[in-house]
Amino acid sequence: MKRSSIAGLALLLVVAMASAQTTKDFQPTQLRGFPTGTLDILRSGGRDTLHIWIADTEARQEQGLMWIRDMPADYGMLFPVSPPRNFYLWMKNTYVPLDMLFYDGTGRVSHIQEHATPLSEATIDSGGVVSGVVEMLGGEVARRGIKVGDRLVLTSRGN
């Protein structure tokens, strides 16, 4: 193998490792102190896993993903809703487009909102009584093939 090929492979490996490290350790300052966890999305075509922040208080739900300028595709935020009710969101001060998965008490996706417009103050309605919502990077619902009826399972909870 030529020296330039070896150097190129080494550079590619370093970039891939740095990218994986960045994604794995992604922690915006605005979300320090939020509980974290892992969420599986069980769909007919397979399973996807998201690293999530959990907006488990009114203050955290009001903040949500505000002020976040970028987010890896395998990250998201979980908003548990208790007691279950109609739930409304907006994108004020949210800079990344988001897809939203509204779910019922069994974890089944009951409504999907794709490509919520960044910085919009328009109300996004849950479409009925829900037990929560998961926000993920805009475009991920289509890319992953997520559909109404798919199931969400919180597989781990950190701090």
Side-chain angles (χ1 to χ4, degrees):
M1 201 178 245
K2 291 183 179 178
R3 179 174 284 219
S4 62
S5 296
I6 293 171
L9 286 173
L11 177 61
L12 182 61
L13 182 58
V14 167
V15 169
M17 288 173 58
S19 176
Q21 183 73 16
T22 301
T23 299
K24 179 178 172 251
D25 296 333
F26 183 73
Q27 181 59 50
T29 305
Q30 301 91 324
L31 300 177
R32 288 198 179 127
F34 274 67
T36 59
T38 357
L39 181 87
D40 281 351
I41 304 167
L42 309 175
R43 49 189 180 69
S44 61
R47 172 188 300 237
D48 292 296
T49 300
L50 292 179
H51 304 283
I52 56 165
W53 295 280
I54 303 170
D56 60 349
T57 66
E58 188 175 329
R60 288 179 178 146
Q61 288 188 355
E62 286 177 11
Q63 177 184 333
L65 291 169
M66 284 178 155
W67 311 112
I68 303 301
R69 298 282 181 163
D70 64 333
M71 186 170 70
D74 60 343
Y75 275 73
M77 181 167 280
L78 172 69
F79 294 77
V81 177
S82 182
R85 63 186 181 278
N86 286 336
F87 197 66
Y88 305 92
L89 298 151
W90 65 356
M91 296 287 289
K92 181 179 179 178
N93 300 320
T94 304
Y95 289 86
V96 294
L98 297 174
D99 290 346
M100 299 173 186
L101 306 174
F102 296 91
Y103 62 89
D104 66 18
T106 67
R108 297 271 176 213
V109 175
S110 58
H111 177 68
I112 297 173
Q113 171 66 49
E114 293 185 67
H115 299 288
T117 304
L119 304 174
S120 172
E121 292 187 23
T123 301
I124 300 166
D125 187 344
S126 62
V129 174
V130 296
S131 292
V133 61
V134 173
E135 294 180 340
M136 59 197 314
L137 193 61
E140 287 301 302
V141 164
R143 188 180 75 77
R144 296 168 187 261
I146 300 169
K147 306 279 186 224
V148 168
D150 290 346
R151 189 159 173 254
L152 306 176
V153 178
L154 185 63
T155 53
S156 74
R157 184 169 172 147
N159 57 348

